[in-house]
Amino acid sequence: MAEPVQLDPQHRPMANRFRGFLPVVVDVETGGFDCHRHALLQVAAVFLRRDEQDHLVRDRTVSLHVRPYEGSEMDPKSLEVNGIDPYHPLRAAWPEDQAMGKLFSEVRREVKVNHCKRAILVGHNAHFDLGFVHTAAERCGIKRNPFHPFSSLDTVSLSALAFGQTVLARAADAAGIGWDTESAHSAAFDAEKTADIFCQIANRWQDGIGVPQPALRLPEPEELPPGS
C-alpha cells in the first residue's frame, strides 16, 4: 500500500488550473524508438505544486528502473545514448507490470489530493513518452490508467515559443536553469529539467499575460476529498 502524501498545510490543489487535469511531467528511457517493439527501461514522473503566488513549482520525483519485457527488442545505439545496461545485476529494476502499477498508483494519488479528474502528461516530445506509457499499460493489462489517452502538454512547442529553442538542453540553458551533460538521459534528470522549463513558462505567462480567474479558483473545503 502506498504511503500517504505529506502535504504542506498551505497546499493549494491544482483543481481548476488546467481545466481539472493534473500536469505530471514524465520522461522515459527506452531501448529504441518503437513503443510496440522496444523495451521500456526507465520511467520518471515529476509532481508539481502551486505556491502562495499560484506559481507552479517542482515538488517530488518518482523514478523507476524497468526490466525489459519478454520478447522486447533493444537498439544498441539507443543503449549507447542513455548508457543503460538493461541486465546489470545492481540495476534493481522492476518487472514492467509492477513498475507501471507503482507509477500509476502515485499518479492517481496526486490526482486525488489535487482534486483533479485526470492526469495529463507533460513531456519533451510528449507523444514519445505518452506512447511508451500507454503501450506498456496495455501490454500489462492495466485498466486504471490515469493519463489522458491522447492529449499531452509538450515543452518542445512551449520552449520554441518562449525561448526559440526546441532541444531540451538548449531550452534549459535559455531558461537559465543549467544543464549537466553527464546526468542527461537519466529519466529523473530529464524529467526534472522538463518540469522546471514547464513551470517557468507557465509562471512567466501567468505573471505577464495572466490566466482566467476561474483557473486560479481553489475548491471549497467541502469539495475536497477526505484527508486532502
Side-chain angles (χ1 to χ4, degrees):
M1 179 179 295
E3 296 181 1
V5 176
Q6 298 299 316
L7 295 175
D8 186 281
Q10 302 303 315
H11 172 60
R12 299 170 66 81
M14 205 74 72
N16 305 298
R17 181 63 178 86
F18 297 95
R19 202 173 66 81
F21 293 120
L22 177 71
V24 178
V25 186
V26 173
D27 186 79
V28 300
E29 296 298 331
T30 68
F33 296 106
D34 188 336
C35 60
H36 298 287
R37 295 191 299 114
H38 292 125
L40 174 64
L41 300 176
Q42 194 177 46
V43 59
V46 178
F47 300 111
L48 309 177
R49 293 275 182 257
R50 288 167 65 179
D51 68 12
E52 295 80 359
Q53 288 76 45
D54 281 314
H55 285 165
L56 301 183
V57 295
R58 175 156 54 89
D59 183 41
R60 66 187 183 98
T61 302
V62 173
S63 181
L64 301 164
H65 292 286
V66 185
R67 194 178 303 165
Y69 71 90
E70 186 175 355
S72 61
E73 300 177 21
M74 281 171 280
D75 184 341
K77 293 182 179 178
S78 293
L79 300 182
E80 183 179 347
V81 170
N82 58 41
I84 295 175
D85 178 355
Y87 301 107
H88 194 285
L90 300 180
R91 190 164 167 257
W94 296 58
E96 188 177 65
D97 60 339
Q98 294 181 25
M100 299 309 294
K102 168 69 172 173
L103 174 70
F104 287 173
S105 176
E106 295 280 353
V107 173
R108 284 194 295 268
R109 185 169 57 173
E110 288 286 336
V111 168
K112 180 179 179 181
V113 300
N114 279 282
H115 201 48
C116 291
K117 57 186 180 182
R118 192 157 210 170
I120 187 168
L121 186 146
V122 180
H124 205 76
N125 291 310
H127 68 282
F128 179 84
D129 304 280
L130 191 65
F132 270 91
V133 167
H134 282 323
T135 301
E138 292 172 6
R139 190 163 48 236
C140 297
I142 298 175
K143 304 298 184 184
R144 295 181 61 208
N145 185 337
F147 286 101
H148 194 285
F150 53 84
S151 292
S152 62
L153 300 173
D154 195 343
T155 52
V156 170
S157 299
L158 294 174
S159 296
L161 175 68
F163 308 120
Q165 299 290 346
T166 57
V167 175
L168 182 59
R170 293 181 180 179
D173 283 338
I177 61 176
W179 185 261
D180 179 5
T181 303
E182 294 298 318
S183 299
H185 300 296
S186 152
F189 178 85
D190 288 4
E192 288 175 352
K193 290 299 182 181
T194 300
D196 289 341
I197 289 170
F198 177 73
C199 290
Q200 184 178 135
I201 294 173
N203 296 338
R204 287 174 59 179
W205 182 274
Q206 178 178 310
D207 293 345
I209 306 298
V211 298
Q213 282 302 118
L216 300 180
R217 185 184 73 83
L218 294 177
E220 298 298 326
E222 60 270 17
E223 296 178 313
L224 292 171
S228 62

